[in-house]
Amino acid sequence: MCVIISSYQLFFFGSTVPNDKNDLLIHVKLADLQRCVPITKPSNTGTGMVCYLQLVVHEAERGVRTKLVRCDKENISRKVAQEINYAKSLYEEQQQMVVIPSGRSTETW
């Protein structure tokens, strides 16, 4: 599994090298992402724990949905969730930023 975190969206690919668009498993826009949480659940076989990233996404046609992405290790799920939430924070800050038109001084504000 490979994830690409950009300033506007997330791409989850099935292989470790994202070289084919058909390998794309999940695509989430940061505008639609509400939060990302690392979670751990007991495995179905009862032989340990399984780690996931839980993506809570608002989809216009379906409402709020939860998507699970399996991770190899708990520390990986925590680190990736931290990076995704940081990207989401930066995205929200950028959306709320006031842009001063060019040619105007800040003294007129």
Side-chain angles (χ1 to χ4, degrees), residues 1-106:
M1 171 84 44
C2 174
V3 61
I4 296 176
I5 304 169
S6 80
S7 56
Y8 293 100
Q9 50 202 345
L10 308 172
F11 301 96
F12 289 88
F13 293 90
S15 66
T16 56
V17 181
N19 54 4
D20 186 8
K21 189 174 180 177
N22 294 329
D23 199 25
L24 180 66
L25 299 176
I26 299 174
H27 171 241
V28 177
K29 294 181 181 177
L30 290 177
D32 298 334
L33 181 70
Q34 291 185 345
R35 67 182 169 276
C36 177
V37 182
I39 60 171
T40 305
K41 294 182 174 184
S43 71
N44 292 338
T45 61
T47 59
M49 304 298 276
V50 181
C51 302
Y52 294 96
L53 285 176
Q54 181 183 45
L55 304 169
V56 180
V57 181
H58 181 268
E59 296 177 347
E61 63 278 351
R62 297 182 183 171
V64 177
R65 308 252 314 163
T66 302
K67 299 180 181 193
L68 292 177
V69 179
R70 186 168 178 176
C71 295
D72 292 336
K73 298 179 182 176
E74 185 178 3
N75 62 336
I76 292 173
S77 65
R78 279 186 278 146
K79 180 65 176 170
V80 172
Q82 180 182 9
E83 295 292 332
I84 290 172
N85 289 325
Y86 180 69
K88 173 67 174 173
S89 296
L90 289 178
Y91 172 80
E92 289 176 350
E93 185 176 321
Q94 184 181 34
Q95 297 303 307
Q96 297 173 12
M97 183 173 54
V98 176
V99 179
I100 299 173
S102 62
R104 297 184 85 183
S105 70
T106 56

